[in-house]
Amino acid sequence: LMQPMLVDRLEDNDGHVVRVVRKEGGRDILDARMEDYRTVDGAQVPFSITIRDRKKGLGIRYSSVSVNPKLPAGFFDASRLP
């Protein structure tokens, strides 16, 4: 029988999501933390994100963020990939 997957979400006093934990079988299998929220074009954006599973971790720190930037036509056209 498959165990249900649970997700816990923690917010700070300002309503920012600061932690998301995915649990399976009563064990944490993924832990994501968001910090250093800043306002960018009216949106609250975490400039620091850390994601860990049971084996590895990944840290992401942004120095700048653009919300809804204009992209050239065909930017996501997969047929242009080698």
Side-chain angles (χ1 to χ4, degrees):
L1 185 58
M2 195 168 170
Q3 293 284 333
M5 179 190 68
L6 302 172
V7 176
D8 289 333
R9 177 178 145 153
L10 179 65
E11 295 181 5
D12 66 11
N13 292 335
D14 295 321
H16 301 130
V17 176
V18 294
R19 187 173 182 202
V20 175
V21 180
R22 180 177 169 188
K23 298 176 181 245
E24 209 169 81
R27 296 178 55 188
D28 293 358
I29 61 169
L30 186 74
D31 186 347
R33 296 173 188 244
M34 289 66 64
E35 301 174 308
D36 191 16
Y37 276 85
R38 302 179 198 176
T39 302
V40 179
D41 293 335
Q44 288 290 298
V45 179
F47 273 62
S48 177
I49 302 170
T50 305
I51 303 168
R52 296 187 187 282
D53 66 10
R54 288 181 272 178
K55 296 179 182 178
K56 296 182 181 180
L58 170 67
I60 303 167
R61 179 164 291 284
Y62 297 104
S63 57
S64 66
V65 173
S66 297
V67 176
N68 295 324
K70 294 201 184 260
L71 301 174
F75 186 80
F76 293 104
D77 183 358
S79 65
R80 298 180 347 159
L81 296 174

